[in-house]
Amino acid sequence: METLKGFIIILMTSVLVNNYVLSRFLGICPFLGVSKKLNQATGMGAAVIFVMLMATAATWPIQTYLLDRFEIGYLRTIVFILVIAALVQLVEIVLKKYLPALHASLGIYLPLITTNCAVLGVTINNINDGYNFAESMVNSLGAGLGFLLAMVLFAGVRSRLESANPPKSFEGLPITLVSAAIVALSFFGFAGLVEGLFA
Amino acid sequence: MSKWQNFIKGIIRENPVLVLLLGTCPTLAVTSSAVNALGMGVAATVVLLCSNMAISALRKVIPDKVRIPCYIVLIAGFVTMVEMLMHAFTPELYESLGIFLSLIVVNCIILGRAEMYASKNTVLDSAIDAVGMGIGFMMALFAMATIREIFGNGTFFGLEIPFLSENPISILALAPGGFFVFGCLIALVNKLTKGKARGSKEFGCSGCPSAYLCGKQGECASAEQTKTKGGEE
C-alpha cells in the first residue's frame, strides 16, 4: 500500500505539479513546434511517452550495474545520449518492419525525439533523485503524460489563437509564448496538490 | 563573407536565440538570475567553440552517413569536460545549473552549428562562428535574466535594488514569467528589425539538426511557413 501511495505521488508530481514542459522547461522545442494541430500534438506526445519509457528501461540498469559498479559515473552524459540515440533508431527500424501502422502515425516524430531534452532530462533526473527501477518507470510515465497533457491543452489554445488578431510584432511565435505563459500559470493551481493527496 | 561579418552575424543578424529560435529550453530555464545566465552562456560557448573546431578539423574524416552520431559523441565529450571543470572550480554554479549543464549536449545551437557550419568550413572560420554564436547566446540569456531578476526578484547579481526589492513582480521569476519575457523580447526584436531578421536562410528545417533525420517531413515545416509568412508581411 505504501509503495502504491509512493507511485501515485511520483506520478501526480511529474504530471501536474512539476510538469516537465511548463514548470521545468524541458522539451520546449516540440512543445512550440508541433502543437499546431491536435492530432500532431497527440502523436508527438504518444511517441515521447513511448521513448521515455524505453529510454528509462535501458538507462537505469546501465547506470546501476555498469557505471556505478565500475565507478565511471562521469561518463553518464555520453553513455545516456548514445543509448537514447541508438534506441530511437532501433525502435524506428523495428516499428517500420513489424508494426507499419504504428510507424505511419509515430514514425516522423521519432527522429525528432533523439535530440529532445525532455527524454535525456528524465533519465538523468531519475538517477539524480535516487529512484529505484519501478519508481523511475513511474516517473518517466508521469513525465511523458505531463508532456502529452501540456501539448494537447496548448494545441487547443493555439487553434483559438489562429483567429486572434495580435499586434503586428507579436504575430507568430511571440504571441504563442505569451499564451504559453498563461497555460503555465494555470498549472500553478496544482501546487500543494500532492501534500494534500493522502492527508 | 569577411571574418568580422562572420563573427558579428551570430550576435545580431542571426542571433541563435532571438532570431533562429534555437536552444529555447536553457533560455527559459536558467534565466531567473543573471549569474546563472552568464554561467550557462560561458559553458555553452566553450562547448560550442571546442566542438566546432574539432568537427571542422575532422570534417574530411567523418563519413557522411554516420556524421550525426559522431557529432553527438564529440559534443557529449566536451560537455562532460566542462561539467567536471565547473564541478571542481565553481561548485555553486554547478549546483544551481544542475541538469541543464548536462543538457547542453542536446542544445540545438551546438548540433545546429556543427551541421550547418563546421562541417563545411575551415577550423578558423568555425572557431570565429562559434565565438560569435556563443556571445549571441550569452547576450540573449543575459538580457532575459536581467529583466527577470531585476523586476521579478528586485536584485541584480545578488545586490538589492531599493524600491524594487520591496515590491517585486515575483511571477516574472517563476515559470510563466519566463515564457512571457521571452515572448516580449522576440516581439521587440521583430519590431526593431521589422521582421527582416527572419528572412535568414538558416531558419526552420534548414537550421534544424534533426531535419536530416526526419527528411524534413517533421511538422515543423508547416509551422515554418506561417512564421516566414509572418516575417514578410
Side-chain angles (χ1 to χ4, degrees):
Chain A
M1 198 57 206
E2 279 302 311
T3 3
L4 193 64
K5 258 187 201 174
F7 286 164
I8 294 175
I9 287 177
I10 293 173
L11 193 67
M12 284 298 163
T13 310
S14 51
V15 177
L16 298 173
V17 184
N18 278 332
N19 188 289
Y20 264 70
V21 180
L22 295 169
S23 70
R24 293 198 192 185
F25 296 126
L26 292 167
I28 301 289
C29 295
F31 175 67
L32 296 172
V34 200
S35 63
K36 278 220 127 186
K37 295 196 185 84
L38 188 62
N39 58 344
Q40 293 168 2
T42 37
M44 182 75 185
V48 165
I49 296 180
F50 188 63
V51 172
M52 273 182 176
L53 286 174
M54 299 278 291
T56 308
T59 52
W60 196 90
I62 288 177
Q63 172 76 28
T64 316
Y65 298 113
L66 214 64
L67 300 186
D68 282 352
R69 191 156 163 209
F70 297 106
E71 289 174 359
I72 42 173
Y74 58 87
L75 286 178
R76 188 167 64 194
T77 314
I78 303 181
V79 172
F80 278 23
I81 188 71
L82 273 181
V83 168
I84 292 170
L87 193 75
V88 171
Q89 290 287 312
L90 192 72
V91 167
E92 205 197 352
I93 293 167
V94 170
L95 281 187
K96 205 173 193 171
K97 182 101 170 79
Y98 296 104
L99 295 164
L102 194 62
H103 182 259
S105 54
L106 298 185
I108 52 165
Y109 304 110
L110 285 175
L112 293 172
I113 293 173
T114 318
T115 50
N116 182 342
C117 53
V119 176
L120 184 61
V122 79
T123 52
I124 294 178
N125 262 346
N126 283 335
I127 307 297
N128 285 349
D129 292 349
Y131 289 143
N132 64 31
F133 185 70
E135 285 169 341
S136 298
M137 292 303 280
V138 173
N139 188 39
S140 304
L141 179 68
L145 285 175
F147 183 81
L148 178 66
L149 178 70
M151 291 283 280
V152 169
L153 285 178
F154 199 53
V157 172
R158 279 187 89 165
S159 67
R160 283 297 190 89
L161 216 55
E162 298 264 292
S163 55
N165 192 13
K168 198 154 211 145
S169 44
F170 270 91
E171 269 171 12
L173 195 77
I175 192 69
T176 313
L177 280 164
V178 172
S179 36
I182 298 168
V183 176
L185 193 61
S186 71
F187 270 68
F188 270 32
F190 295 116
L193 177 85
V194 167
E195 287 80 3
L197 206 56
F198 294 108
Chain B
M1 194 187 285
S2 75
K3 299 264 185 288
W4 175 249
Q5 275 175 325
N6 185 15
F7 173 70
I8 208 84
K9 76 170 190 296
I11 300 176
I12 304 159
R13 202 163 51 83
E14 289 176 28
N15 187 295
V17 180
L18 299 172
V19 179
L20 301 180
L21 307 173
L22 296 169
T24 42
C25 298
T27 310
L28 292 166
V30 302
T31 51
S32 51
S33 83
V35 180
N36 283 359
L38 277 187
M40 184 72 196
V42 171
T45 307
V46 171
V47 174
L48 183 56
L49 179 63
C50 296
S51 71
N52 249 16
M53 284 170 71
I55 287 165
S56 169
L58 293 171
R59 69 184 185 281
K60 295 200 176 101
V61 184
I62 297 174
D64 204 40
K65 275 199 169 164
V66 290
R67 66 182 193 278
I68 300 281
C70 292
Y71 298 164
I72 292 180
V73 176
L74 277 169
I75 295 168
F78 289 122
V79 169
T80 309
M81 275 154 58
V82 169
E83 239 180 317
M84 289 167 89
L85 283 172
M86 285 182 85
H87 198 171
F89 293 106
T90 55
E92 275 176 35
L93 201 57
Y94 176 82
E95 287 296 321
S96 57
L97 290 178
I99 191 172
F100 283 95
L101 214 47
S102 320
L103 291 181
I104 297 178
V105 181
V106 283
N107 190 321
C108 312
I109 298 174
I110 292 166
L111 197 54
R113 286 334 282 176
E115 170 79 353
M116 301 303 305
Y117 200 89
S119 59
K120 298 176 193 116
N121 290 282
T122 60
V123 178
L124 181 64
D125 281 338
S126 304
I128 295 170
D129 175 77
V131 174
M133 284 287 163
I135 292 176
F137 179 62
M138 192 151 47
M139 276 169 53
L141 286 190
F142 189 63
M144 278 260 306
T146 309
I147 299 172
R148 288 180 71 188
E149 196 181 345
I150 289 181
F151 292 101
N153 208 15
T155 58
F156 190 55
F157 281 105
L159 296 169
E160 290 201 0
I161 295 163
F163 175 72
L164 289 168
S165 63
E166 287 132 44
N167 309 291
I169 315 167
S170 338
I171 192 79
L172 288 182
L174 299 171
F179 285 109
F180 184 77
V181 173
F182 191 33
C184 292
L185 266 184
I186 294 175
L188 185 71
V189 170
N190 280 359
K191 182 92 187 160
L192 293 178
T193 57
K194 299 188 179 71
K196 273 179 199 148
R198 287 288 180 76
S200 162
K201 270 190 287 181
E202 292 174 77
F203 185 69
C205 272
S206 53
C208 169
S210 308
Y212 153 78
L213 296 165
C214 78
K216 298 193 183 177
Q217 286 173 22
E219 303 300 326
C220 326
S222 60
E224 185 194 358
Q225 284 160 9
T226 35
K227 273 175 203 156
T228 27
K229 205 179 80 196
E232 281 160 10
E233 277 168 14

